[in-house]
Amino acid sequence: MDSTPKDLERELAIEQAHVDLVYRHLKKATKSARRVASSGRQIYRSDRQTWMREEDGTALFERDAFAFQAARRLAILDAEHEGLVFGRLDHTDGEIRYIGRIGVRDDEYEPLVIDWRARAAEPFYRATATEPMDVARRRVLRCRNDIVIGIEDDLLDSSQPNDELVIIGEGALMAALKRARGHQMRDIVETIQAEQDQAIRADYPGVTVISGGPGTGKTVVALHRAAYLLYSNRRRFERGGILVIGPSSLFMNYIERVLPSLGEDSVTLRPIGGVAVDTLGLTAARIDSAAAATIKGSLRMVPLLKRLVNLPWLDPADDQPPLRVTVKGEVLSLSETTLARLRRDLLTRHKANAARPAAEAAVMDALYAQLPEELEMDLETMTELVSDSAAYRMFLRAWWPDLTATDVLRRLASARVGARVGEGILNAEEQAELAASFGFEDWSVADVALLDELVAMIGPIVADEADEPLAFLADGAEMSEVVTTADRLRDAHEVDPHADPHDTFAHVLVDEAQDISPMQWRMLRRRGSQASWTIVGDPAQSSWPDLGESEHALTELIGSAPHRSYRLSTNYRSPAEVFRLAADVVRRDYPQADLPQAVRSTGVEPLLLTSSGPALADLLDEVVADLAGQVEGTIGVIAPPSRLSGLATADLAGVAPHSQRVTFVSPLNAKGLEFDAVVVVAPDEIVAESPGGTRVLYVSLTRPTQRLVTIDVGPDAARWRA
């Protein structure tokens, strides 16, 4: 039946009453969790001030576990869930179910709110007018904290006579699409569509591939999937962990609140430049030039890095042997050729940093073979004599130093080193480009995968047992062995220096997977060797130039594991007018692109402007000020790397009043982001400066939800739309 203002007022009051009931029971549950946590801290206290009985240690462990579980529950209950209750299902048989971010029950253990991930909540997302799933009305509640401020209804089954079933609003999805964007991504838990829900609830073993064009909700679907996996298989995934990979730190900041808002905070989020923080202790954000990034991302770097590790650090004079020692008047020496042979043999059997003892033994064996028999000296005696030689110790430190990945990779800044290890792998131009790319103090995003590869090749630095601290007692003192609980815990967690240093996870979720280079895929595989995977992407948006090589790397990852694919076909972000322009651009260079269908129209065509170089800042200032009056939310300025810094730091009077709403970003860092309005600066230069060319421009053109402006620069511009 048609609604009136009185109907809306009455329905809001009904929903408010239920929300109030939910929050009353939530408050009781929170108080109960606090009591449990507090009692956990009070019980099992020991009165011992010195040594501790074993039963006291056990009790303390049990107390801590007890308190941890209580605190974990309290954290879930205390979290700021904007719109805890967001949905209602009116079934044809009269049953009413409320859907929310977490499950809440009353004193009789009857559900007041059903967790959105529970099977009972599936009809909220999958029911349609053609397949209503016994649902007459689906209602979405908009709440601000614990106050119901709006209602949007969808009538799914009109065949059931029910005069009391009031329908309010234009539908939740369209209402959500019209809202202004902020600087952080919102979850879509109340507006998930049927095809999205299928991907979210897919089985976890093996590999799940989710594809779709821009604006189809790939990222939020992936994040909701992470929350669903934790809910449905909590023991497996909370113990093993879920790793979420995104294209940039800016993107990770954009999405960081989604999972906590869904009741989950036990997921590790890392930008692709921070994946190797476990082995390297660093995160990179700098983007290489297109040419350098293409070289560094190629699988050709694997044999090049192997050569680099094998390359001796000594650079001896041609007329002098690298090692020369005297034993009982006999001069013993090893040539560069001999040492190179020993090095190759050792590195086939050991990682470089673990091979130091074997390397020293091999050198001693080679020297001993030169020792005249008449000296009648055994190997052990000769080793002691040579080891005391300062010349030998200097040689060994130089010939077989403790290696760090950063020290090894920095060697490629030398054109001479690059030529030696790159011969037959890279041409002269590529060797020069690679060497030039290391002329910065900081590391690039592409460097991180190379550094991680080197960590896998050389292994961690092995501590010398002689360097271990020793404890000395005063003369005459005696000490009995004492083993404490702390000792046992420390020993249990002692790190094996030969063990793989990489963090590993039970599930790895990769967003914007089309931009992952083959070398980065190798890096990711080391974090999920036994994991299940969710891979989200769109080949039409790829910034990687060699799609064949990237597909090969992905095929190697999937292997024979069970896999399933889901395609998202609807673009909810871009107005039809904007997407038409973007689609025309990408089809010219990538005709096989699988493009989605835009579902809404604003009636406003993209504004295509041209500027001379000197007047660009003034025109941009004017455009941004105008857009600020047209949209309520965020404005993105996407510019090629060569222009970005200058524009972002320019004194723009029109931009200044709206600075909190304006973001300056490069095309690659715009991946996954969205804005109410977007200004794309110098599209031709974006194509020229990006490895993916037109496909990267396609990404830039599909970021706005309402308005798009492009500014061509120079008299010969606009080739991108020719």
Side-chain angles (χ1 to χ4, degrees):
M1 60 179 287
D2 295 332
S3 64
T4 66
K6 287 187 177 181
D7 291 329
L8 175 60
E9 185 179 351
R10 184 179 68 253
E11 296 296 309
L12 284 172
I14 292 171
E15 305 305 351
Q16 186 65 60
H18 187 80
V19 169
D20 290 343
L21 177 64
V22 170
Y23 273 90
R24 284 199 298 271
H25 282 275
L26 192 67
K27 188 176 181 180
K28 289 172 60 178
T30 302
K31 287 183 178 179
S32 175
R34 287 203 174 96
R35 284 197 300 271
V36 170
S38 177
S39 61
R41 290 189 293 269
Q42 297 300 319
I43 60 177
Y44 304 131
R45 288 188 178 272
S46 173
D47 57 356
R48 299 284 180 179
Q49 300 297 314
T50 54
W51 58 273
M52 182 179 296
R53 296 185 302 243
E54 183 176 353
E55 58 266 29
D56 285 340
T58 303
L60 288 172
F61 176 81
E62 292 174 348
R63 181 201 69 181
D64 290 344
F66 185 67
F68 171 78
Q69 293 299 330
R72 185 179 178 280
R73 177 61 177 165
L74 183 60
I76 294 173
L77 296 172
D78 278 346
E80 295 181 9
H81 299 297
E82 180 74 20
L84 171 61
V85 187
F86 60 76
R88 167 175 165 164
L89 291 175
D90 290 83
H91 288 263
T92 54
D93 62 1
E95 181 186 5
I96 296 174
R97 293 178 180 175
Y98 283 90
I99 314 299
R101 299 177 186 276
I102 59 175
V104 181
R105 296 180 179 270
D106 62 15
D107 295 336
E108 282 71 44
Y109 213 63
E110 291 296 319
L112 296 173
V113 184
I114 296 171
D115 192 297
W116 69 273
R117 295 162 289 194
R119 186 173 294 277
E122 286 189 28
F124 186 79
Y125 302 109
R126 299 198 180 184
T128 64
T130 55
E131 293 187 32
M133 300 176 68
D134 298 323
V135 176
R137 180 181 68 181
R138 174 174 53 220
R139 168 168 288 178
V140 171
L141 284 63
R142 286 190 61 203
C143 298
R144 183 172 294 121
N145 296 323
D146 58 351
I147 305 298
V148 183
I149 61 174
I151 295 171
E152 297 289 344
D153 289 335
D154 292 295
L155 180 64
L156 302 181
D157 189 349
S158 58
S159 65
Q160 303 293 321
N162 192 338
D163 295 335
E164 300 298 320
L165 206 63
V166 178
I167 304 300
I168 295 173
E170 60 180 335
L173 177 61
M174 295 308 297
L177 294 177
K178 293 179 180 179
R179 293 181 207 162
R181 267 53 180 176
H183 289 292
Q184 287 193 314
M185 177 180 285
R186 299 190 300 262
D187 63 70
I188 59 166
V189 66
E190 73 272 19
T191 57
I192 293 172
Q193 301 301 292
E195 66 176 10
Q196 297 173 328
D197 190 65
Q198 290 177 353
I200 290 170
R201 298 175 188 269
D203 205 2
Y204 73 83
V207 180
T208 300
V209 178
I210 303 173
S211 63
T216 55
K218 299 185 300 297
T219 296
V220 287
V221 166
L223 295 173
H224 286 69
R225 174 162 172 75
Y228 173 76
L229 291 175
L230 282 166
Y231 175 83
S232 58
N233 300 272
R234 185 164 298 280
R235 178 171 294 183
R236 172 183 176 84
F237 291 116
E238 196 167 60
R239 181 175 62 244
I242 293 179
L243 174 64
V244 176
I245 306 297
S248 67
S249 296
L250 184 63
F251 175 81
M252 304 314 287
N253 293 335
Y254 181 58
I255 69 170
E256 65 180 354
R257 287 302 306 161
V258 173
L259 283 166
S261 74
L262 297 173
E264 301 295 349
D265 58 1
S266 55
V267 174
T268 300
L269 290 95
R270 291 179 186 171
I272 190 66
V275 168
V277 69
D278 51 352
T279 59
L280 305 176
L282 60 86
T283 295
R286 181 172 58 82
I287 304 296
D288 281 300
S289 69
T294 301
I295 297 167
K296 291 178 177 180
S298 171
L299 291 176
R300 294 181 294 168
M301 292 300 297
V302 175
L304 188 148
L305 292 177
K306 287 181 179 178
R307 289 182 183 180
L308 185 63
V309 171
N310 293 344
L311 188 68
W313 285 70
L314 285 176
D315 190 14
D318 295 337
D319 59 347
Q320 182 179 339
L323 174 61
R324 188 182 179 95
V325 295
T326 302
V327 179
K328 298 293 185 180
E330 295 289 335
V331 178
L332 309 177
S333 65
L334 297 180
S335 68
E336 184 179 0
T337 303
T338 300
L339 289 170
R341 176 180 55 79
L342 292 177
R343 186 176 185 86
R344 286 194 302 271
D345 180 62
L346 288 163
L347 291 176
T348 61
R349 296 180 285 114
H350 307 277
K351 292 184 177 181
N353 281 331
R356 180 81 172 267
E360 187 166 8
V363 168
M364 291 299 178
D365 287 340
L367 291 173
Y368 188 72
Q370 299 181 22
L371 199 67
E373 293 184 3
E374 55 265 27
L375 285 183
E376 298 182 350
M377 183 181 297
D378 59 29
L379 176 62
E380 183 177 354
T381 302
M382 190 209 73
T383 300
E384 290 179 359
L385 291 174
V386 173
S387 298
D388 288 337
S389 164
Y392 171 77
R393 292 197 300 271
M394 291 176 62
F395 159 79
L396 191 64
R397 284 194 294 269
W399 182 63
W400 209 282
D402 289 332
L403 300 179
T404 66
T406 52
D407 288 341
V408 175
L409 194 60
R410 283 290 185 200
R411 298 186 75 187
L412 288 178
S414 165
R416 183 178 58 83
V417 170
R420 289 186 64 179
V421 300
E423 184 179 2
I425 299 175
L426 305 177
N427 61 37
E429 184 179 349
E430 290 173 323
Q431 292 172 15
E433 185 71 40
L434 184 62
S437 74
F438 293 107
F440 300 86
E441 292 186 1
D442 61 333
W443 297 104
S444 73
V445 172
D447 291 335
V448 169
L450 305 183
L451 290 167
D452 192 67
E453 191 78 28
L454 285 169
V455 169
M457 289 182 180
I458 66 178
I461 295 175
V462 180
D464 191 339
E465 293 182 2
D467 295 335
E468 293 293 321
L470 300 176
F472 295 93
L473 300 175
D475 291 342
E478 296 183 359
M479 183 175 72
S480 300
E481 183 178 8
V482 177
V483 181
T484 67
T485 300
D487 294 329
R488 290 197 296 269
L489 290 173
R490 182 192 64 212
D491 293 342
H493 291 86
E494 193 172 286
V495 178
D496 182 355
H498 302 282
D500 188 349
H502 304 90
D503 289 341
T504 56
F505 296 84
H507 190 85
V508 181
L509 192 157
V510 185
D511 197 11
E512 304 294 345
Q514 74 280 347
D515 293 332
I516 304 297
S517 73
M519 288 301 295
Q520 289 170 338
W521 278 121
R522 290 176 61 88
M523 174 177 65
L524 295 180
R525 285 173 61 186
R526 286 189 277 272
R527 273 79 188 169
S529 56
Q530 303 296 319
S532 54
W533 292 71
T534 297
I535 298 172
V536 183
D538 176 21
Q541 299 182 68
S542 177
S543 62
W544 181 249
D546 189 343
L547 294 180
E549 188 181 25
S550 188
E551 289 173 4
H552 176 71
L554 183 56
T555 301
E556 282 194 337
L557 172 69
I558 295 176
S560 59
H563 62 279
R564 61 207 68 83
S565 299
Y566 297 88
R567 177 181 177 267
L568 306 181
S569 59
T570 304
N571 180 347
Y572 300 104
R573 176 199 302 143
S574 306
E577 297 83 359
V578 170
F579 192 69
R580 209 162 30 243
L581 173 65
D584 288 343
V585 169
V586 76
R587 279 198 189 102
R588 284 198 295 270
D589 290 337
Y590 193 58
Q592 68 271 38
D594 185 11
L595 305 182
Q597 180 70 38
V599 295
R600 65 189 179 90
S601 174
T602 61
V604 181
E605 294 289 336
L607 182 60
L608 310 179
L609 303 176
T610 301
S611 169
S612 65
L616 175 59
D618 291 337
L619 179 58
L620 177 63
D621 194 33
E622 181 182 336
V623 168
V624 171
D626 187 47
L627 289 173
Q630 298 179 38
V631 301
E632 296 181 0
T634 56
I635 301 170
V637 179
I638 304 175
S642 59
R643 294 186 180 273
L644 183 62
S645 178
L647 292 175
T649 57
D651 185 14
L652 303 178
V655 173
H658 315 287
S659 59
Q660 297 300 313
R661 297 166 55 192
V662 180
T663 299
F664 289 82
V665 64
S666 71
L668 291 180
N669 283 334
K671 290 288 183 77
L673 306 182
E674 63 181 21
F675 307 91
D676 285 317
V678 166
V679 185
V680 178
V681 178
D684 285 327
E685 295 175 21
I686 289 176
V687 173
E689 296 179 23
S690 304
T694 302
R695 295 192 299 271
V696 175
L697 176 59
Y698 173 60
V699 173
S700 303
L701 296 172
T702 55
R703 297 306 95 192
T705 65
Q706 298 183 46
R707 300 286 189 271
L708 172 66
V709 180
T710 68
I711 302 178
D712 295 306
V713 183
D716 299 325
R719 293 185 298 275
W720 63 278
R721 49 188 172 95

